[in-house]
Amino acid sequence: MPHLALYTFGVLKSPLADPARLTRELHDSGEAIYRKIAQHPGYLAHAEPADGGRGTHFDLDWGAWGEFAVPTWYGKGRTAETIALAATLSLWTDLRPAFDAIYNGLHREALNRRYDWFERAAHPNYVFWWVSDDVIPTWQDGVSRLEHLHDHGSAPHGFTFRHSFAPDGTPTRIKDIGPKGEQVR
């Protein structure tokens, strides 16, 4: 059975190394959110550094998830002092469990505060696509699909909750997700 890959990307207002209260809040909430999402039904895995996380996103060994990559529109730093981004790469069983995990609980609370931490952007901040159950998506897969989504809109190659596709490439809509359902980004 295919799995659903999800890549998220946001540009932070301040570098991760910034000691300001808002940056610390984002970091602290992120750890709690990851713990909670990892327990959610339908969650399968997310990219974690193979070497225990010593270094910046760009210097880490991500194992099977591949070399860390960012969209072309990211123009901030790449060093420990200047990096200002948040990115995730994860696998899910289906759209509904991903939706429920993202739009409920701690993650929903964080979404409500996203503009405290993240710059507003004209680019999409997430993309879904289907992979075979034996495939681990790479960071580069996520970047290329997010850029494709930005340039061409939703398609089986990369899509959003609002305009989603089934594993066979046909358009699909899950109750409460999409134009007539709950307003999602």
Side-chain angles (χ1 to χ4, degrees):
M1 173 148 225
H3 292 155
L4 185 68
L6 168 61
Y7 171 72
T8 67
F9 183 83
V11 179
L12 298 170
K13 290 181 176 180
S14 301
L16 289 170
D18 184 345
R21 178 184 55 84
L22 281 175
T23 307
R24 284 193 320 273
E25 283 178 4
L26 172 65
H27 186 268
D28 293 346
S29 68
E31 290 178 11
I33 290 167
Y34 263 123
R35 281 192 306 274
K36 189 71 173 168
I37 284 181
Q39 299 168 357
H40 198 279
Y43 165 86
L44 298 171
H46 72 270
E48 294 185 273
D51 59 4
R54 306 270 187 252
T56 69
H57 292 70
F58 298 95
D59 301 331
L60 297 172
D61 173 5
W62 292 94
W65 301 89
E67 185 176 338
F68 188 75
V70 295
T72 55
W73 59 77
Y74 176 71
K76 291 193 175 182
R78 292 174 182 249
T79 67
E81 297 78 29
T82 62
I83 194 168
L85 64 85
T88 65
L89 182 58
S90 57
L91 282 170
W92 296 84
T93 57
D94 206 348
L95 281 164
R96 171 51 68 182
F99 181 86
D100 290 345
I102 291 166
Y103 287 100
N104 289 295
L106 290 175
H107 195 271
R108 178 62 183 193
E109 291 172 25
L111 279 178
N112 290 339
R113 296 200 51 213
R114 68 184 168 269
Y115 297 122
D116 290 347
W117 303 311
F118 294 94
E119 294 179 355
R120 292 179 187 260
H123 305 98
N125 58 10
Y126 74 95
V127 65
F128 287 110
W129 70 100
W130 293 100
V131 298
S132 299
D133 64 356
D134 61 343
V135 170
I136 296 176
T138 67
W139 290 105
Q140 186 56 53
D141 293 336
V143 168
S144 67
R145 290 170 189 271
L146 187 70
E147 289 174 342
H148 187 273
L149 174 65
H150 175 258
D151 294 343
H152 305 286
S154 280
H157 181 76
F159 53 91
T160 64
F161 280 122
R162 182 177 288 263
H163 301 284
S164 53
F165 292 84
D168 67 2
T170 59
T172 190
R173 189 168 93 75
I174 297 172
K175 185 178 178 186
D176 298 330
I177 301 175
K180 292 186 178 182
E182 183 170 337
Q183 297 299 311
V184 296
R185 296 181 54 91

